[in-house]
Amino acid sequence: MFNGYKTCLLIDDNYIDNFVTRRILESSNFAEKIIVQQSAAAAIDAIRDGSIRPDVIFLDLRMPLMNGFEFLQEYDKLKEQDKSATKIFMLSSSLDPVDVKRSGQNKYITQFIHKPLTQKILEELSA
C-alpha cells in the first residue's frame, strides 16, 4: 500500500512508540521518506525553515516542552503554502474525551487516532 505521500513526519517524544510506528509505516510503504522528530519544537522549526516539507504528520498529544496542541498553535502561524497540502493525524494514547473533542475542532487535524498505529488503521486511512 503506497499512498503517494512523499514525506511523512512523525512527532513523538517516546522512543519506543517512534520505533514501532516507524516500522509500521515503513512496512506498509506509507511514504517515500519517514522523518522522526522527538520534539515538537524541533519539528516546527524544521518545517518553518523548510528543511522538512511533510505531506502527512502523525502528531503525539502529550509531550514535554511543547505538546501537540501547542505545536498546532505554532503551525497556524506558518505561511499557508507551507501547510496547505499537509494532513495531520493526532496519534495519542489519551483517552480524555476533551482531547478527542479538541482535536476534532482543530482545522488542521484530519483525524484523532488512538495509539498504537496499526496496519489496519493505515488501510482505513487509505480507503
Side-chain angles (χ1 to χ4, degrees):
M1 161 188 58
F2 176 66
N3 285 316
Y5 293 119
K6 183 173 172 138
T7 304
C8 174
L9 176 59
L10 173 59
I11 306 170
D12 195 326
D13 64 308
N14 186 299
Y15 176 82
I16 300 297
D17 286 346
N18 284 334
F19 179 80
V20 171
T21 302
R22 183 182 192 130
R23 294 297 298 243
I24 289 167
L25 292 167
E26 288 173 343
S27 68
S28 66
N29 293 315
F30 189 76
E32 289 177 31
K33 185 187 332 181
I34 299 164
I35 299 169
V36 176
Q37 287 281 345
Q38 287 189 263
S39 158
I44 201 71
D45 288 343
I47 294 169
R48 188 179 289 123
D49 72 21
S51 59
I52 298 176
R53 297 201 179 277
D55 301 298
V56 63
I57 297 172
F58 287 95
L59 176 64
D60 187 24
L61 178 56
R62 310 261 167 128
M63 295 179 283
L65 304 178
M66 179 185 282
N67 67 36
F69 292 121
E70 292 166 334
F71 170 88
L72 291 167
Q73 288 172 345
E74 292 302 310
Y75 186 80
D76 188 52
K77 297 174 187 174
L78 298 175
K79 294 180 213 130
E80 192 58 40
Q81 69 267 21
D82 293 336
K83 58 189 174 184
S84 60
T86 304
K87 286 186 176 184
I88 301 178
F89 297 100
M90 186 68 79
L91 182 61
S92 179
S93 56
S94 173
L95 299 175
D96 186 340
V98 173
D99 289 340
V100 176
K101 182 178 179 182
R102 191 170 170 200
S103 294
Q105 293 170 337
N106 187 287
K107 65 182 176 182
Y108 298 112
I109 300 295
T110 302
Q111 184 176 338
F112 187 99
I113 301 169
H114 290 283
K115 286 182 182 177
L117 185 65
T118 64
Q119 191 74 34
K120 184 177 187 312
I121 291 169
L122 282 179
E123 288 169 9
E124 291 169 2
L125 296 178
S126 302

